Amino acid sequence: MVLNAYTARQIRDAEKPHLDAGEPLMDVAARGLAEAAVRLLRERAGGVGGADVVLLVGSGNNGGDALHAGAALSSRGARVTAVLTAPRHHSEGMAALRGAGGAVLDLAEDGEAACLEAAAAADLLVDGILGTGGSGGLREPAAGLVRGLLAGRDDARRTPAVIACDVPSGLDATTGRLSGPVLPADLTVTFAAPTTGLVAPASASAVGRIETVPIGIEDDLPEPSALVLEDADLPGVWPAPGEGDHKYTRGVVGTVAGSDAFPGAGLMCVRAAINAGAGMVRYTGGAALAGLMALECPEAVRSEHVGADRVQAWAVGSGATGGAAEREIRAALDSGLPVVADAAAIQILAGAAGEGERARASVVMTPHAGELASALEWAVRLSPAAGNGCAPPPWRPAWPRRTCRRTASPTAPGSRRRRCRGPARPARCSAARCCSRAGPPWWRAPASCSRTPGAARGWPRPARGHAHGHAGRGRGLSSGAGRARRRAGRRRRVGPGRGRGAAAAARDQHRGARAPPAHARRLPHPGAARAAARTLSRGSLRGH
């Protein structure tokens, strides 16, 4: 069945009325935890009697669950030792464990070495340090104990099995983020319903198998925050061809994927569509992609243009480059048909989201972590509510930077907006080009133009004059140097590239710009060299 996952707050809100009413939720949870431990001990140690169990006990309710479960295991013949990692502990659970004959070690009093020795000899470890309310990872001395256990696992020939109570300690129950040392669990026993952090892909190795114990609050849970398909769910929803089906009744998939630069991405996309059971797959692409398809996927059909009237679903974006591919992707997204969007298509969707256009419910995105982070950041920064003062992200975007020519504000490559919503450049600014299309990194601290205070740029501003600090047209030098540069520009060209005058070269060298190669420079005119020398001597170009 489909697995319903909830945030930690949703679980706590559902528990609160039952706890206020005095219902014994901890006793029910502890019994379920003990039964899961019994099954795991039978697999690993051959039974419960004589098995060594160590409880890692925190100060919260998870520690109480572990203590009550340890009391139940001790009554069934296991040798149970509780390691207290905090000054406080659940008093009723501790009384139950001591009454059942369990032993207790205090991490602060008995020392880390004694606790590690007991844990290394155990058949089973029960992680009850932090629960769904924990945040920020483990703190000392519990963090040091877990680091010692992790180091011992690498050296030991035999490692104990690990059961996590509710969540592995150090894992965020809502986001799945791992903070600090985390003891990976072979089995995570969660209560009422799994949290979203347990089903996050990044936490799969730390969670292990998930087992849910009902405790009586399931009917009070709200709508789930995430739905997870399990292996047993797929046969019920995956279409299988029947007798009499042919390629058109099984559906036609159109792909806009791959290019001569990235033919492999197109091949994988088409192969995936064929393996999914589509009756026909149409694709567009150049000669390199067509040759690869003819060898690997001869059943795929090449088309110069895949129209929306010829397919029933789309898979677009993977490895697609160029303007023609972008137009095909936009047409697919606007067709209203089911679309699997990847790579370039996600960039287009991010730009549309920044303009306030919501994607249709039939669009399924398949980004990796970097693409998703970049797309969300662009959508937020381009949204009307964000303005131009958002805090910059700590990472670089995956696509080339583009900035508005008027305000240097970022625009996503997939956005249809040619200019951002920022303030226009004042008319008195005499520079022909304040901001370039591939301008400075927009997360760099901006500097203001001396005559255009609101225009943000990443280059430093000269001490005086109207030098904008970029290599484009403008009046960055005095009039004499500007005339000298124009005179040098009329001289003959040397080499295949376009040259520049001596004044321009001196200006670039002063600002730290990379000088053009020798074959791309024009021969300086003697007058231009003298004008540049006079300009530098007058101090028109000062250090920043």
Side-chain angles (χ1 to χ4, degrees):
M1 58 180 297
V2 177
L3 191 66
N4 297 334
Y6 302 84
T7 64
R9 179 177 293 276
Q10 287 177 314
I11 298 291
R12 290 195 297 268
D13 291 345
E15 287 178 342
K16 190 175 185 305
H18 297 269
L19 293 174
D20 294 342
E23 297 182 18
L25 299 184
M26 182 174 291
D27 294 339
V28 178
R31 282 197 298 271
L33 179 61
E35 290 299 325
V38 167
R39 290 190 292 271
L40 190 56
L41 283 172
R42 287 173 178 168
E43 295 176 6
R44 296 294 185 90
V48 182
D52 291 309
V53 178
V54 172
L55 314 175
L56 306 180
V57 181
S59 60
N61 289 336
N62 269 44
D65 294 336
L67 289 170
H68 280 290
L73 293 173
S74 181
S75 64
R76 300 182 67 163
R79 293 188 294 267
V80 180
T81 302
V83 175
L84 306 182
T85 62
R88 295 183 296 107
H89 54 266
H90 195 272
S91 58
E92 295 180 3
M94 180 60 66
L97 179 65
R98 289 186 184 276
V104 178
L105 290 175
D106 193 307
L107 181 58
E109 296 180 0
D110 298 308
E112 183 178 308
C115 297
L116 288 175
E117 183 180 357
D123 298 299
L124 175 66
L125 295 177
V126 179
D127 178 6
I129 305 176
L130 295 179
T132 57
S135 62
L138 292 170
R139 295 170 177 83
E140 298 297 341
L145 177 63
V146 171
R147 281 193 292 268
L149 290 173
L150 293 175
R153 287 166 68 104
D154 296 335
D155 301 333
R157 297 180 181 178
R158 168 182 161 275
T159 59
V162 179
I163 289 183
C165 180
D166 231 352
V167 294
S169 298
L171 183 143
D172 191 287
T174 298
T175 64
R177 181 179 180 181
L178 301 174
S179 301
V182 177
L183 186 62
D186 299 288
L187 173 66
T188 296
V189 178
T190 184
F191 309 118
T195 55
T196 51
L198 295 179
V199 299
S203 61
S205 60
V207 172
R209 292 188 294 114
I210 300 175
E211 186 172 322
T212 303
V213 175
I215 58 175
I217 68 169
E218 292 74 24
D219 294 338
D220 296 331
L221 291 172
E223 289 294 322
S225 296
L227 301 176
V228 182
L229 280 176
E230 297 181 306
D231 293 342
D233 301 322
L234 294 179
V237 298
W238 200 267
E243 185 178 357
D245 283 337
H246 52 83
K247 60 183 180 181
Y248 294 113
T249 60
R250 293 168 58 187
V252 180
V253 175
T255 66
V256 184
S259 60
D260 288 345
F262 305 103
L267 174 62
M268 290 189 292
C269 181
V270 171
R271 174 55 66 189
I274 293 172
N275 292 341
M280 178 188 292
V281 178
R282 296 183 179 273
Y283 72 94
T284 60
L289 181 61
L292 189 61
M293 290 295 180
L295 294 175
E296 299 292 337
C297 301
E299 62 269 45
V301 178
R302 184 187 182 190
S303 303
E304 293 296 330
H305 173 73
V306 181
D309 56 337
R310 307 174 68 184
V311 299
Q312 286 78 50
W314 291 95
V316 297
S318 301
T321 59
E326 181 178 349
R327 289 189 293 272
E328 293 275 359
I329 292 173
R330 291 188 183 278
L333 294 173
D334 295 337
S335 66
L337 297 173
V339 179
V340 177
D342 187 48
I346 296 176
Q347 297 180 13
I348 294 174
L349 290 170
E355 296 177 3
E357 301 177 12
R358 296 178 61 89
R360 293 181 173 86
S362 57
V363 176
V364 177
M365 293 193 299
T366 59
H368 57 68
E371 287 176 340
L372 179 60
S374 299
L376 292 177
E377 179 67 24
W378 276 115
V380 170
R381 291 181 65 85
L382 293 177
S383 63
N388 292 325
C390 293
W395 36 260
R396 287 184 169 222
W399 47 71
R401 302 185 299 273
R402 293 188 182 183
T403 54
C404 173
R405 290 178 181 273
R406 297 192 301 170
T407 65
S409 299
T411 56
S415 175
R416 297 177 182 175
R417 182 183 294 110
R418 294 182 179 274
R419 293 182 183 273
C420 65
R421 295 188 177 91
R425 187 182 63 200
R428 67 178 295 187
C429 179
S430 59
R433 191 172 63 186
C434 271
C435 310
S436 68
R437 185 180 185 189
W442 42 265
W443 56 83
R444 192 177 296 172
S448 296
C449 169
S450 57
R451 294 176 59 185
T452 313
R457 283 168 299 281
W459 292 282
R461 179 162 55 94
R464 76 182 201 185
H466 195 61
H468 282 267
H470 54 73
R473 295 183 298 272
R475 300 179 185 176
L477 302 175
S478 65
S479 58
R483 287 194 300 270
R485 187 170 65 247
R486 289 192 293 273
R487 284 197 301 269
R490 290 193 292 269
R491 303 301 172 188
R492 64 186 182 89
R493 181 179 302 175
V494 176
R498 176 176 295 181
R500 300 191 300 178
R507 178 199 62 191
D508 287 346
Q509 184 177 4
H510 176 76
R511 281 202 296 249
R514 180 181 296 176
H519 70 270
R521 303 175 187 171
R522 290 174 182 165
L523 290 178
H525 189 269
R530 288 193 295 270
R534 287 196 301 271
T535 300
L536 293 174
S537 64
R538 286 198 299 267
S540 296
L541 292 175
R542 295 183 178 179
H544 302 303

